[in-house]
Amino acid sequence: MVEPAAGLLLAAGAGRRFGGPKALADLNGEPLVRRALRVMEEAGCTPIRVVLGAAADEVRALLPDPGLAVVAEDWATGMGASLRAGLAALTTTPGPTAALVHLVDLPWVGPEILTRVAAHASVNAVARAAYEGVPGHPVLLGRDWWPEIARTARGDHGARDWLATREDLKLIECADLGSGRDVDHRADLPT
């Protein structure tokens, strides 16, 4: 039996091109942060941590449990800061063998995709969703790798540079379940 993966939702960005924090944006009456959190819950991720930065108080107020929030104080330096803060929070949590890293601006990634990727959870997992062969999110990171990833996560690359060195990276095709397309501009969201 595969142990459930912890969920790590990165929702700290200011959304400069978007015109504000994407976590606060609304799609069909649901803020993107709540939508992504719901998807992680439906996929069985436990525990879940939501990394905040820009508009942290406003985003925290949208969470059903404010205790899920982890604030990346240096969030403005890029996704690497969010990933480090989230992994640090999970490191102090006993139990999870892996972290499933999801981004708040991927509203077309549903629970089925997270479930498919999370099925590969183990302490040494290195896996990520792919869409028609193109690597995307979520990314599954085994607990054994968290300290190494935290040391190398810098700027807007998050774990990208670390993943690029991995010969054991498993791409898990998910295009049959949804789109890994992200939201960069408000026009990317249906009205």
Side-chain angles (χ1 to χ4, degrees), residues 38-164:
R38 177 178 49 78
V39 164
M40 296 188 99
E41 290 169 344
E42 290 174 9
C45 294
T46 185
I48 298 174
R49 298 294 177 263
V50 182
V51 182
L52 308 179
D57 291 338
E58 290 175 69
V59 178
R60 183 184 289 114
L62 295 174
L63 301 178
D65 175 2
L68 299 175
V70 174
V71 177
E73 297 297 338
D74 54 347
W75 65 269
T77 64
M79 190 185 303
S82 295
L83 184 57
R84 286 192 310 275
L87 289 176
L90 288 176
T91 297
T92 63
T93 305
T97 60
L100 190 64
V101 181
H102 187 41
L103 307 180
V104 76
D105 64 350
L106 300 172
W108 296 280
V109 173
E112 303 84 5
I113 293 173
L114 274 69
T115 300
R116 183 177 285 177
V117 176
H120 299 271
S122 71
V123 294
N124 60 0
V126 182
R128 71 185 308 173
Y131 302 89
E132 297 182 3
V134 178
H137 282 85
V139 176
L140 184 67
L141 304 171
R143 190 178 190 113
D144 285 354
W145 305 117
W146 296 353
E148 187 176 321
I149 294 165
R151 283 192 304 273
T152 61
R154 297 287 176 261
D156 281 330
H157 288 209
R160 185 183 320 152
D161 293 342
W162 184 84
L163 289 166

